[in-house]
Amino acid sequence: MKKKIAIIGTGFSGMSAAAYLAKEGHEVHLFEKHSQPGGRARQFTTEQGYVFDMGPSWYWMPDIMDDFFADFGYKVSDFFELISLNPQFEMIFSDEKIKVPENLEELKVLFEQIETGAGLQLEKFMHSAKFKYETGMKEFVRKPCYSWSEFVSPKIAKSALKLDLLTNFRDYTAKYFKNQKLRTLMEFPVIFLGASPKNIPALYSLMNYGGYALGTHYPMGGFYQLVLAMKKVAEKQGAVFHFNQTVEKINTQNDKVNSLTINGEVHTFDTVIASSDYHHTETLLEENYRNYTEKYWQKRTFAPSSLIYYLGINEPLPNLKHHTLFFENDLDEHIDSIYGDKKWPEKPLFYSCCPSKTDPKIAPKDKENLFLLMPLAIGINDGESVREKYLKEMLSRIEKHTGVTGLLSKIEYKKSYCVSDFISDYNAYGGNAYGLANTLTQTAVLKPKIQNKKLKNLFYTGQLTVPGPGVPPSIISGKIVADEINKLKN
């Protein structure tokens, strides 16, 4: 039976769900509070001609994006040019710089140079990570996760031990590498899953394969090209986008959602999908229809928030790569400030993205587009003065790395974005930037459910439910929800 379906929000999960449902013939409408699609992956252009991606900048796991477009008869190249970065990124330590090469064979050589025997160990690590990736991303993360019985299959049972679900990522990495810098290099990708490597299952070494082995890419024109491409695919299936439309209330009748109040007007629907923040979505419901209490959310472990700066620099920055990780300080100390003390870090780590190194069209000639990001605890005070303090700290370290002096005076465009902005723009719980942490106690069935327990025609998708944070998982999340709705009899 074909349904009239509303989707709240146009992030990756919402657009993914829209495309798959419209393809099946449903009437699909997406409602977005902003004037453009993409959610956290929006883009803006300044008067000076700088083009800034607001959120995601690491195009990893390219096969997941390829699979999405292939499901509709397209290729990525039908929409944008995808560049493989070489080096993938550079990691700055206090006494050394490591460039991660595009090619895995070259990366093995690099590891061997840093630690005798580490080249062979990397090969073993990646062999295991490839198995986890192919099992995890193709099967494990594609379950709706109503119950553990979904995982009782001969293939998954046979794979269980190899998936290393009960080993933490830190101990797992230490089995392969002694050198602390190599360990940090391998641990870095899981930081954005929302917890210390000590609390993340070793299953997520699949991210090392999805990044380092499959490569780090960049869509020419910016990450937003992926947003525009997915919007186009959804529209070609028949989905309709509505912008500047704020969903104010989810209305119910006879234990079903029957309508949404949007910009003060009531619109009726057969089914509703919330691609918006899960906690916020539940506040649009009467309390007795919510899946989870306020106490439940307070006890969850959230992925970090971030301090972000979008900077237009009026001269070239030599020695700076497209992606650079400034890890001169202790990783655990910074992580503890996020998940332990929940305070601004004393000795922060941060990430810099300078896409104008690859794409000349996103900055004026001989100028640089610079995006700085520092992971932070959720819910902390983020006044302008503290933001500026950390901007100066980050700029001083970039100056040391590049040899450029007086960077502050060379900024011709500046915009900051932090905890309170994530709350006001996305209703993000505590100002989180990446959703719910992928800790062992918040994995699979233990994540918030994709279907409302009392309202069977209300579903949730995105980084606060299965499979979890990140662009590829969000795209998969949309497909999971679409599949579940297509199974409904009425």
Side-chain angles (χ1 to χ4, degrees), residues 55-163:
S57 58
W58 292 82
Y59 196 106
W60 273 2
M61 304 184 183
D63 57 315
I64 305 299
M65 284 67 125
D66 292 344
D67 289 348
F68 171 81
F69 290 110
D71 283 346
F72 301 93
Y74 298 108
K75 301 188 296 291
V76 163
S77 57
D78 293 330
F79 300 98
F80 52 83
E81 181 186 3
L82 196 61
I83 302 292
S84 177
L85 298 180
N86 192 21
Q88 298 188 41
F89 61 91
E90 185 169 24
M91 186 173 268
I92 311 298
F93 294 100
S94 59
D95 59 349
E96 190 177 3
K97 300 171 185 178
I98 297 178
K99 293 186 182 75
V100 173
E102 176 183 36
N103 182 287
L104 189 55
E105 289 302 312
E106 291 177 21
L107 186 59
K108 280 161 58 181
V109 172
L110 175 66
F111 270 54
E112 189 64 31
Q113 289 170 350
I114 295 171
E115 177 187 320
T116 302
L120 180 60
Q121 289 296 90
L122 178 64
E123 188 175 310
K124 292 177 182 175
F125 185 100
M126 284 300 183
H127 178 76
S128 177
K130 181 180 181 182
F131 174 83
K132 293 185 180 77
Y133 187 83
E134 290 175 347
T135 304
M137 296 307 291
K138 303 301 180 189
E139 292 195 43
F140 195 81
V141 304
R142 294 175 186 266
K143 307 289 185 186
C145 295
Y146 295 125
S147 78
W148 289 113
S149 63
E150 295 166 33
F151 299 91
V152 181
S153 75
K155 187 166 183 181
I156 291 179
K158 190 178 176 184
S159 305
L161 287 175
K162 290 185 183 176
L163 291 174

Side-chain angles (χ1 to χ4, degrees), residues 8 21 106 114 124 137-138 141 143 147 155 172 188 204 212 305 307 315 318 337 343 384 387 445 462 470 478:
I8 306 170
L21 288 165
E106 291 177 21
I114 295 171
K124 292 177 182 175
M137 296 307 291
K138 303 301 180 189
V141 304
K143 307 289 185 186
S147 78
K155 187 166 183 181
Y172 180 78
F188 139 70
Y204 291 103
Y212 300 173
S305 186
L307 168 62
E315 67 175 54
S337 72
K343 63 180 184 182
E384 201 57 42
R387 296 187 192 194
V445 175

Side-chain angles (χ1 to χ4, degrees), residues 384-400:
E384 201 57 42
S385 61
V386 70
R387 296 187 192 194
E388 285 288 312
K389 172 190 166 186
Y390 282 92
L391 171 63
K392 289 172 185 173
E393 156 91 10
M394 291 187 283
L395 290 178
S396 70
R397 285 157 65 181
I398 293 171
E399 286 178 348
K400 185 179 177 183

Side-chain angles (χ1 to χ4, degrees), residues 394-435:
M394 291 187 283
L395 290 178
S396 70
R397 285 157 65 181
I398 293 171
E399 286 178 348
K400 185 179 177 183
H401 174 58
T402 60
V404 174
T405 56
L407 256 182
L408 201 59
S409 66
K410 291 165 184 173
I411 296 172
E412 65 175 12
Y413 177 83
K414 178 177 71 172
K415 174 183 172 73
S416 66
Y417 202 92
C418 202
V419 177
S420 56
D421 301 298
F422 281 103
I423 294 171
S424 62
D425 276 0
Y426 310 120
N427 301 299
Y429 187 88
N432 80 83
Y434 304 98

Side-chain angles (χ1 to χ4, degrees), residues 430-447:
N432 80 83
Y434 304 98
L436 205 61
N438 270 346
T439 59
L440 190 55
T441 56
Q442 293 180 170
T443 292
V445 175
L446 303 175
K447 283 189 183 295

